[in-house]
Short mmCIF file of all heavy atoms in Angstrom, two decimals:
data_model
loop_
_atom_site.label_atom_id
_atom_site.label_comp_id
_atom_site.label_asym_id
_atom_site.label_seq_id
_atom_site.Cartn_x
_atom_site.Cartn_y
_atom_site.Cartn_z
N TYR A 311 113.69 83.08 63.13
CA TYR A 311 113.30 83.49 61.77
C TYR A 311 112.44 84.74 61.85
O TYR A 311 112.77 85.77 61.31
CB TYR A 311 112.57 82.36 61.04
CG TYR A 311 112.18 82.79 59.64
CD1 TYR A 311 113.12 82.80 58.61
CD2 TYR A 311 110.89 83.23 59.37
CE1 TYR A 311 112.78 83.24 57.35
CE2 TYR A 311 110.54 83.67 58.10
CZ TYR A 311 111.49 83.68 57.10
OH TYR A 311 111.16 84.12 55.85
N SER A 312 111.29 84.62 62.55
CA SER A 312 110.45 85.80 62.78
C SER A 312 109.61 85.52 64.01
O SER A 312 109.54 84.39 64.48
CB SER A 312 109.56 86.10 61.58
OG SER A 312 108.37 85.32 61.65
N VAL A 313 108.91 86.55 64.49
CA VAL A 313 108.06 86.35 65.68
C VAL A 313 106.82 85.52 65.34
O VAL A 313 106.10 85.10 66.23
CB VAL A 313 107.64 87.68 66.32
CG1 VAL A 313 108.86 88.44 66.83
CG2 VAL A 313 106.81 88.54 65.36
N ASP A 314 106.57 85.29 64.04
CA ASP A 314 105.39 84.51 63.64
C ASP A 314 105.69 83.02 63.46
O ASP A 314 104.79 82.26 63.08
CB ASP A 314 104.81 85.08 62.34
CG ASP A 314 104.23 86.47 62.53
OD1 ASP A 314 103.86 86.80 63.67
OD2 ASP A 314 104.15 87.22 61.54
N THR A 315 106.94 82.62 63.72
CA THR A 315 107.30 81.21 63.54
C THR A 315 107.82 80.61 64.83
O THR A 315 108.36 81.33 65.69
CB THR A 315 108.37 81.05 62.44
OG1 THR A 315 109.46 81.92 62.72
CG2 THR A 315 107.80 81.39 61.07
N TRP A 316 107.70 79.30 64.94
CA TRP A 316 108.20 78.61 66.13
C TRP A 316 109.72 78.64 66.16
O TRP A 316 110.38 78.97 65.17
CB TRP A 316 107.64 77.20 66.20
CG TRP A 316 107.92 76.29 65.02
CD1 TRP A 316 108.79 76.48 63.98
CD2 TRP A 316 107.29 75.03 64.78
NE1 TRP A 316 108.75 75.42 63.11
CE2 TRP A 316 107.84 74.50 63.56
CE3 TRP A 316 106.34 74.27 65.45
CZ2 TRP A 316 107.45 73.28 63.03
CZ3 TRP A 316 105.97 73.05 64.90
CH2 TRP A 316 106.51 72.57 63.72
N ARG A 317 110.26 78.29 67.33
CA ARG A 317 111.71 78.36 67.51
C ARG A 317 112.17 77.10 68.23
O ARG A 317 111.68 76.77 69.31
CB ARG A 317 112.02 79.62 68.34
CG ARG A 317 113.44 80.05 68.19
CD ARG A 317 113.60 81.49 68.63
NE ARG A 317 115.02 81.83 68.61
CZ ARG A 317 115.54 82.91 69.12
NH1 ARG A 317 114.76 83.81 69.72
NH2 ARG A 317 116.84 83.13 69.05
N GLN A 318 113.12 76.42 67.62
CA GLN A 318 113.61 75.15 68.19
C GLN A 318 114.66 75.44 69.28
O GLN A 318 115.29 76.49 69.29
CB GLN A 318 114.22 74.26 67.11
CG GLN A 318 113.42 73.83 65.90
CD GLN A 318 111.94 74.03 65.82
OE1 GLN A 318 111.28 74.61 66.70
NE2 GLN A 318 111.36 73.58 64.73
N TRP A 319 114.81 74.48 70.18
CA TRP A 319 115.75 74.68 71.31
C TRP A 319 116.37 73.34 71.71
O TRP A 319 115.83 72.28 71.40
CB TRP A 319 115.02 75.30 72.51
CG TRP A 319 113.85 74.48 73.00
CD1 TRP A 319 112.55 74.61 72.62
CD2 TRP A 319 113.88 73.39 73.93
NE1 TRP A 319 111.77 73.68 73.25
CE2 TRP A 319 112.56 72.91 74.07
CE3 TRP A 319 114.90 72.77 74.67
CZ2 TRP A 319 112.21 71.85 74.90
CZ3 TRP A 319 114.56 71.70 75.51
CH2 TRP A 319 113.23 71.25 75.62
N LYS A 320 117.52 73.41 72.37
CA LYS A 320 118.14 72.19 72.92
C LYS A 320 118.86 72.49 74.23
O LYS A 320 119.22 73.63 74.51
CB LYS A 320 119.11 71.57 71.91
CG LYS A 320 120.35 72.39 71.64
CD LYS A 320 121.28 71.63 70.69
CE LYS A 320 122.48 72.49 70.35
NZ LYS A 320 123.39 71.85 69.40
N PHE A 321 119.02 71.43 75.00
CA PHE A 321 119.63 71.57 76.33
C PHE A 321 120.50 70.33 76.55
O PHE A 321 120.01 69.21 76.50
CB PHE A 321 118.52 71.64 77.39
CG PHE A 321 119.02 71.74 78.80
CD1 PHE A 321 119.45 72.95 79.33
CD2 PHE A 321 119.07 70.61 79.62
CE1 PHE A 321 119.92 73.04 80.64
CE2 PHE A 321 119.53 70.70 80.93
CZ PHE A 321 119.96 71.92 81.44
N ALA A 322 121.79 70.58 76.75
CA ALA A 322 122.72 69.46 76.98
C ALA A 322 122.73 69.16 78.48
O ALA A 322 123.33 69.90 79.28
CB ALA A 322 124.11 69.82 76.48
N TRP A 323 122.07 68.11 78.84
CA TRP A 323 121.89 67.74 80.26
C TRP A 323 123.01 66.77 80.68
O TRP A 323 123.25 65.78 79.97
CB TRP A 323 120.51 67.09 80.40
CG TRP A 323 120.20 66.50 81.75
CD1 TRP A 323 120.58 66.95 82.97
CD2 TRP A 323 119.40 65.34 81.98
NE1 TRP A 323 120.07 66.15 83.96
CE2 TRP A 323 119.34 65.16 83.37
CE3 TRP A 323 118.70 64.45 81.14
CZ2 TRP A 323 118.62 64.10 83.95
CZ3 TRP A 323 118.00 63.42 81.71
CH2 TRP A 323 117.95 63.24 83.11
N GLN A 324 123.65 67.07 81.77
CA GLN A 324 124.63 66.13 82.34
C GLN A 324 123.85 65.21 83.28
O GLN A 324 123.62 65.54 84.45
CB GLN A 324 125.75 66.89 83.07
CG GLN A 324 126.64 67.74 82.16
CD GLN A 324 127.25 66.94 81.01
OE1 GLN A 324 127.70 65.79 81.18
NE2 GLN A 324 127.26 67.52 79.80
N ALA A 325 123.43 64.09 82.74
CA ALA A 325 122.49 63.23 83.46
C ALA A 325 123.22 62.35 84.48
O ALA A 325 124.30 61.82 84.20
CB ALA A 325 121.73 62.36 82.47
N THR A 326 122.63 62.20 85.65
CA THR A 326 123.17 61.34 86.71
C THR A 326 122.21 60.18 86.94
O THR A 326 121.02 60.28 86.60
CB THR A 326 123.33 62.15 88.01
OG1 THR A 326 122.07 62.74 88.32
CG2 THR A 326 124.38 63.25 87.87
N SER A 327 122.70 59.10 87.53
CA SER A 327 121.90 57.89 87.72
C SER A 327 120.59 58.17 88.45
O SER A 327 120.52 59.06 89.30
CB SER A 327 122.68 56.86 88.53
OG SER A 327 123.84 56.52 87.81
N GLY A 328 119.60 57.38 88.08
CA GLY A 328 118.31 57.49 88.75
C GLY A 328 117.20 57.82 87.77
O GLY A 328 117.42 57.90 86.56
N GLU A 329 115.99 57.99 88.33
CA GLU A 329 114.86 58.37 87.49
C GLU A 329 114.64 59.87 87.62
O GLU A 329 114.64 60.38 88.75
CB GLU A 329 113.61 57.60 87.96
CG GLU A 329 112.51 57.65 86.93
CD GLU A 329 111.39 56.69 87.29
OE1 GLU A 329 111.49 55.51 86.91
OE2 GLU A 329 110.44 57.14 87.94
N HIS A 330 114.51 60.57 86.48
CA HIS A 330 114.40 62.03 86.53
C HIS A 330 113.23 62.54 85.70
O HIS A 330 112.96 62.03 84.61
CB HIS A 330 115.69 62.68 86.00
CG HIS A 330 116.90 62.36 86.83
ND1 HIS A 330 117.12 62.91 88.07
CD2 HIS A 330 117.94 61.52 86.60
CE1 HIS A 330 118.26 62.44 88.57
NE2 HIS A 330 118.77 61.58 87.69
N ASP A 331 112.58 63.57 86.25
CA ASP A 331 111.53 64.27 85.50
C ASP A 331 112.13 65.52 84.88
O ASP A 331 112.81 66.29 85.57
CB ASP A 331 110.40 64.71 86.44
CG ASP A 331 109.67 63.51 87.01
OD1 ASP A 331 109.52 62.52 86.28
OD2 ASP A 331 109.27 63.57 88.20
N VAL A 332 111.84 65.71 83.58
CA VAL A 332 112.36 66.89 82.87
C VAL A 332 111.17 67.69 82.35
O VAL A 332 110.25 67.11 81.76
CB VAL A 332 113.28 66.45 81.71
CG1 VAL A 332 113.76 67.66 80.92
CG2 VAL A 332 114.46 65.65 82.24
N GLN A 333 111.19 69.01 82.58
CA GLN A 333 110.13 69.87 82.07
C GLN A 333 110.73 71.04 81.31
O GLN A 333 111.89 71.40 81.55
CB GLN A 333 109.30 70.44 83.23
CG GLN A 333 108.38 69.42 83.87
CD GLN A 333 107.52 70.10 84.93
OE1 GLN A 333 108.04 70.78 85.80
NE2 GLN A 333 106.22 69.90 84.84
N CYS A 334 109.93 71.64 80.42
CA CYS A 334 110.40 72.85 79.73
C CYS A 334 109.34 73.93 79.86
O CYS A 334 108.17 73.65 80.11
CB CYS A 334 110.69 72.56 78.25
SG CYS A 334 109.24 72.14 77.28
N ARG A 335 109.79 75.15 79.74
CA ARG A 335 108.85 76.28 79.68
C ARG A 335 109.44 77.37 78.79
O ARG A 335 110.65 77.51 78.68
CB ARG A 335 108.52 76.84 81.06
CG ARG A 335 109.66 77.58 81.71
CD ARG A 335 109.19 78.37 82.93
NE ARG A 335 110.28 79.17 83.47
CZ ARG A 335 110.18 79.92 84.57
NH1 ARG A 335 109.05 79.95 85.24
NH2 ARG A 335 111.21 80.64 84.99
N ALA A 336 108.54 78.14 78.18
CA ALA A 336 108.99 79.23 77.31
C ALA A 336 108.66 80.56 77.96
O ALA A 336 107.71 80.67 78.75
CB ALA A 336 108.29 79.13 75.96
N ILE A 337 109.46 81.57 77.62
CA ILE A 337 109.21 82.95 78.04
C ILE A 337 109.15 83.77 76.75
O ILE A 337 110.01 83.64 75.87
CB ILE A 337 110.33 83.48 78.97
CG1 ILE A 337 110.26 82.76 80.33
CG2 ILE A 337 110.20 84.98 79.22
CD1 ILE A 337 111.13 81.60 80.49
N ASP A 338 108.10 84.60 76.61
CA ASP A 338 107.97 85.35 75.35
C ASP A 338 108.66 86.71 75.44
O ASP A 338 109.20 87.09 76.49
CB ASP A 338 106.50 85.44 74.91
CG ASP A 338 105.67 86.40 75.77
OD1 ASP A 338 106.25 87.23 76.51
OD2 ASP A 338 104.44 86.30 75.71
N LYS A 339 108.64 87.43 74.32
CA LYS A 339 109.37 88.71 74.25
C LYS A 339 108.70 89.83 75.03
O LYS A 339 109.27 90.92 75.12
CB LYS A 339 109.55 89.11 72.78
CG LYS A 339 110.51 88.17 72.09
CD LYS A 339 110.96 88.70 70.76
CE LYS A 339 112.18 87.89 70.33
NZ LYS A 339 112.66 88.29 69.01
N LYS A 340 107.51 89.57 75.55
CA LYS A 340 106.91 90.55 76.45
C LYS A 340 107.25 90.22 77.90
O LYS A 340 106.79 90.89 78.82
CB LYS A 340 105.39 90.57 76.29
CG LYS A 340 104.94 91.15 74.95
CD LYS A 340 103.43 91.16 74.86
CE LYS A 340 102.96 91.73 73.53
NZ LYS A 340 101.61 91.23 73.19
N GLY A 341 108.02 89.13 78.11
CA GLY A 341 108.42 88.75 79.46
C GLY A 341 107.45 87.80 80.16
O GLY A 341 107.64 87.47 81.32
N ASN A 342 106.40 87.36 79.45
CA ASN A 342 105.47 86.40 80.05
C ASN A 342 106.08 85.01 80.04
O ASN A 342 106.61 84.57 79.02
CB ASN A 342 104.17 86.32 79.25
CG ASN A 342 103.50 87.66 79.13
OD1 ASN A 342 103.26 88.34 80.14
ND2 ASN A 342 103.22 88.08 77.91
N ALA A 343 105.95 84.29 81.17
CA ALA A 343 106.34 82.88 81.20
C ALA A 343 105.10 82.05 80.90
O ALA A 343 103.97 82.47 81.17
CB ALA A 343 106.90 82.52 82.56
N GLN A 344 105.35 80.87 80.34
CA GLN A 344 104.25 79.95 80.03
C GLN A 344 103.46 79.63 81.30
O GLN A 344 104.04 79.45 82.37
CB GLN A 344 104.91 78.68 79.50
CG GLN A 344 104.08 77.88 78.56
CD GLN A 344 104.84 76.66 78.11
OE1 GLN A 344 106.00 76.76 77.70
NE2 GLN A 344 104.21 75.51 78.16
N ILE A 345 102.14 79.56 81.17
CA ILE A 345 101.28 79.23 82.33
C ILE A 345 101.54 77.79 82.76
O ILE A 345 101.51 76.88 81.93
CB ILE A 345 99.79 79.43 81.95
CG1 ILE A 345 99.54 80.91 81.61
CG2 ILE A 345 98.87 78.95 83.06
CD1 ILE A 345 98.19 81.17 80.96
N GLU A 346 101.79 77.58 84.08
CA GLU A 346 102.13 76.24 84.55
C GLU A 346 100.90 75.41 84.91
O GLU A 346 100.94 74.18 84.89
CB GLU A 346 103.07 76.32 85.76
CG GLU A 346 104.39 77.00 85.38
CD GLU A 346 105.48 76.85 86.42
OE1 GLU A 346 105.37 75.96 87.30
OE2 GLU A 346 106.46 77.62 86.35
N ASP A 347 99.80 76.07 85.27
CA ASP A 347 98.59 75.32 85.66
C ASP A 347 98.03 74.57 84.46
O ASP A 347 97.93 75.13 83.37
CB ASP A 347 97.50 76.29 86.16
CG ASP A 347 97.88 76.87 87.52
OD1 ASP A 347 98.77 76.28 88.18
OD2 ASP A 347 97.31 77.90 87.90
N ASN A 348 97.65 73.32 84.69
CA ASN A 348 97.10 72.52 83.59
C ASN A 348 95.68 72.94 83.26
O ASN A 348 94.84 73.04 84.16
CB ASN A 348 97.10 71.04 83.97
CG ASN A 348 98.51 70.49 84.06
OD1 ASN A 348 99.37 70.83 83.23
ND2 ASN A 348 98.78 69.69 85.06
N ALA A 349 95.44 73.19 81.98
CA ALA A 349 94.07 73.43 81.50
C ALA A 349 93.90 72.65 80.21
O ALA A 349 94.84 72.55 79.41
CB ALA A 349 93.84 74.92 81.26
N SER A 350 92.72 72.07 80.01
CA SER A 350 92.47 71.33 78.78
C SER A 350 92.13 72.33 77.67
O SER A 350 91.87 73.50 77.93
CB SER A 350 91.34 70.33 78.98
OG SER A 350 90.24 71.00 79.50
N PRO A 351 92.15 71.88 76.40
CA PRO A 351 91.99 72.82 75.28
C PRO A 351 90.72 73.67 75.32
O PRO A 351 90.78 74.86 75.02
CB PRO A 351 92.00 71.90 74.05
CG PRO A 351 92.87 70.76 74.46
CD PRO A 351 92.55 70.53 75.92
N ALA A 352 89.58 73.09 75.66
CA ALA A 352 88.35 73.89 75.68
C ALA A 352 88.36 74.83 76.89
O ALA A 352 88.77 74.40 77.96
CB ALA A 352 87.14 72.97 75.76
N PRO A 353 87.90 76.09 76.75
CA PRO A 353 87.34 76.68 75.54
C PRO A 353 88.30 77.54 74.73
O PRO A 353 87.92 78.00 73.67
CB PRO A 353 86.24 77.58 76.11
CG PRO A 353 86.84 78.08 77.40
CD PRO A 353 87.70 76.95 77.92
N ASP A 354 89.57 77.75 75.21
CA ASP A 354 90.41 78.70 74.47
C ASP A 354 91.88 78.29 74.41
O ASP A 354 92.75 79.13 74.26
CB ASP A 354 90.26 80.11 75.06
CG ASP A 354 90.72 80.20 76.51
OD1 ASP A 354 91.11 79.17 77.08
OD2 ASP A 354 90.69 81.31 77.07
N GLY A 355 92.16 76.98 74.53
CA GLY A 355 93.55 76.51 74.37
C GLY A 355 94.14 75.96 75.64
O GLY A 355 93.87 76.47 76.74
N SER A 356 94.93 74.90 75.52
CA SER A 356 95.51 74.22 76.69
C SER A 356 96.63 75.05 77.32
O SER A 356 97.27 75.87 76.65
CB SER A 356 96.07 72.85 76.27
OG SER A 356 97.10 73.01 75.32
N THR A 357 96.84 74.83 78.62
CA THR A 357 98.03 75.36 79.30
C THR A 357 98.63 74.24 80.15
O THR A 357 97.98 73.22 80.40
CB THR A 357 97.73 76.56 80.22
OG1 THR A 357 96.83 76.14 81.24
CG2 THR A 357 97.14 77.73 79.45
N GLY A 358 99.84 74.49 80.63
CA GLY A 358 100.56 73.50 81.44
C GLY A 358 101.92 73.25 80.81
O GLY A 358 102.18 73.70 79.69
N LEU A 359 102.77 72.56 81.55
CA LEU A 359 104.14 72.34 81.07
C LEU A 359 104.29 70.93 80.53
O LEU A 359 103.75 69.97 81.10
CB LEU A 359 105.14 72.56 82.20
CG LEU A 359 105.13 73.96 82.84
CD1 LEU A 359 106.24 74.07 83.88
CD2 LEU A 359 105.25 75.06 81.79
N ASP A 360 105.05 70.81 79.44
CA ASP A 360 105.34 69.50 78.88
C ASP A 360 106.46 68.86 79.70
O ASP A 360 107.40 69.55 80.12
CB ASP A 360 105.78 69.67 77.41
CG ASP A 360 105.69 68.37 76.64
OD1 ASP A 360 104.99 67.43 77.09
OD2 ASP A 360 106.31 68.28 75.56
N GLY A 361 106.36 67.58 79.94
CA GLY A 361 107.38 66.91 80.74
C GLY A 361 107.64 65.49 80.25
O GLY A 361 106.82 64.88 79.57
N ARG A 362 108.82 64.97 80.61
CA ARG A 362 109.21 63.60 80.27
C ARG A 362 109.90 63.00 81.48
O ARG A 362 110.48 63.73 82.29
CB ARG A 362 110.20 63.58 79.09
CG ARG A 362 109.71 64.19 77.79
CD ARG A 362 108.73 63.31 77.05
NE ARG A 362 108.31 63.92 75.79
CZ ARG A 362 107.31 64.79 75.66
NH1 ARG A 362 106.62 65.16 76.73
NH2 ARG A 362 107.02 65.31 74.49
#
Side-chain angles (χ1 to χ4, degrees):
Y311 181 79
S312 84
V313 297
D314 293 336
T315 52
W316 57 12
R317 200 161 174 191
Q318 303 348 3
W319 58 268
K320 68 176 177 183
F321 179 80
W323 173 35
Q324 294 305 319
T326 54
S327 299
E329 195 170 273
H330 297 286
D331 294 325
V332 177
Q333 286 185 309
C334 66
R335 71 168 185 182
I337 290 95
D338 72 17
K339 291 193 165 177
K340 290 181 180 156
N342 303 307
Q344 208 180 311
I345 297 169
E346 298 193 18
D347 289 343
N348 291 320
S350 53
D354 62 358
S356 62
T357 62
L359 301 184
D360 197 18
R362 300 285 182 274

